[in-house]
Amino acid sequence: NAGVTQTPKFQVLKTGQSMTLQCAQDMNHNSMYWYRQDPGMGLRLIYYSASEGTTDKGEVPNGYNVSRLNKREFSLRLESAAPSQTSVYFCASSPRDLQFFGPGTRLTVL
Amino acid sequence: GENVEQHPSTLSVQEGDSAVIKCTYSDSASNYFPWYKQELGKRPQLIIDIRSNVGEKKDQRIAVTLNKTAKHFSLHITETQPEDSAVYFCAARRYTSYDKVIFGPGTSLSVIP
């Protein structure tokens, strides 16, 4: 099992550009999450999906959209990137309680 | 909504000493409290968790205690080793259909050889 995978690993964007971060899990988990991690601020929840077909806002959803494409895949889209969105993005999945994290995507917006 | 505070933000200990990290939560309905360890440049990984029907849980050198009345829980690491150096995150969750987990801001632990 690959666990939770994310693509790309690194990305540099210019202000105003759009992009989609991809996440997939092969553990048959119902719940999936997107977090951003900034120095000194821990992991902040952007969006989550408790089950296939549902998505909900987390703590910091502004500037992002998500799609739960199927049970395996949960994507995060930045429609118009801003420098404030420079961060490390982690996807996670969960069968119920504990979470399994992907390797992260380091995004820089110039 | 839930808010999780964590102290201290940084902690340095001598190898072999104990380390204690404390977290408080605001939502009295939270019933699951995991701890994650994140080494530099890597993903967070679960090291121990506790549910609200248990007051203490141990796993070798790591233990977690929970005080539901005071709404705080703590991570205890005994006989610290250099490889324990990392950032540690606590989290709290209310198991509902929303399935949301809120993390504390993290504690950077340095174990000095």
Side-chain angles (χ1 to χ4, degrees):
Chain A
N1 288 351
V4 181
T5 58
Q6 292 182 235
T7 56
K9 286 185 168 50
F10 301 94
Q11 184 71 50
V12 178
L13 294 177
K14 294 181 180 178
T15 297
Q17 287 185 315
S18 62
M19 79 161 295
T20 299
L21 281 64
Q22 307 286 354
C23 175
Q25 52 94 8
D26 61 1
M27 297 175 282
N28 201 36
H29 291 166
N30 285 322
S31 302
M32 297 186 74
Y33 310 79
W34 276 106
Y35 294 92
R36 61 176 289 173
Q37 185 173 39
D38 303 296
M41 301 192 74
L43 292 154
R44 291 185 293 169
L45 183 64
I46 305 171
Y47 270 93
Y48 63 103
S49 172
S51 61
E52 184 179 356
T54 67
T55 61
D56 287 283
K57 295 179 180 179
E59 303 168 81
V60 289
N62 291 346
Y64 306 95
N65 285 300
V66 290
S67 295
R68 183 73 182 267
L69 305 171
N70 47 56
K71 193 170 186 179
R72 291 187 63 249
E73 299 171 290
F74 188 38
S75 62
L76 178 72
R77 183 160 178 83
L78 287 70
E79 290 291 351
S80 179
S84 61
Q85 294 179 305
T86 293
S87 188
V88 179
Y89 292 84
F90 285 100
C91 175
S93 71
S94 172
R96 178 170 172 168
D97 289 336
L98 63 95
Q99 295 189 321
F100 296 83
F101 284 84
T105 295
R106 187 172 295 274
L107 174 67
T108 301
V109 183
L110 302 175
Chain B
E2 175 68 278
N3 182 52
V4 178
E5 296 184 354
Q6 185 171 348
H7 300 279
S9 57
T10 59
L11 179 60
S12 290
V13 299
Q14 290 293 133
E15 183 178 357
D17 288 349
S18 295
V20 181
I21 302 170
K22 299 181 179 180
C23 288
T24 60
Y25 60 98
S26 60
D27 186 351
S28 57
S30 289
N31 56 10
Y32 174 67
F33 308 93
W35 286 88
Y36 287 82
K37 175 183 180 181
Q38 186 179 28
E39 296 175 351
L40 190 63
K42 297 189 176 181
R43 72 189 80 185
Q45 293 196 305
L46 180 77
I47 55 171
I48 195 167
D49 57 9
I50 191 167
R51 289 174 174 77
S52 59
N53 58 347
V54 176
E56 183 176 2
K57 184 177 179 180
K58 289 183 180 180
D59 183 3
Q60 299 183 333
R61 296 186 296 109
I62 294 172
V64 58
T65 59
L66 172 65
N67 184 326
K68 286 179 60 181
T69 303
K71 289 191 284 187
H72 67 70
F73 55 112
S74 299
L75 177 72
H76 304 253
I77 306 174
T78 59
E79 300 173 19
T80 54
Q81 301 168 2
E83 52 264 40
D84 294 329
S85 296
V87 178
Y88 291 82
F89 294 99
C90 63
R93 174 187 160 180
R94 176 166 47 137
Y95 184 66
T96 67
S97 59
Y98 299 105
D99 223 22
K100 190 164 59 175
V101 178
I102 300 298
F103 284 81
T107 295
S108 178
L109 173 64
S110 297
V111 180
I112 303 165

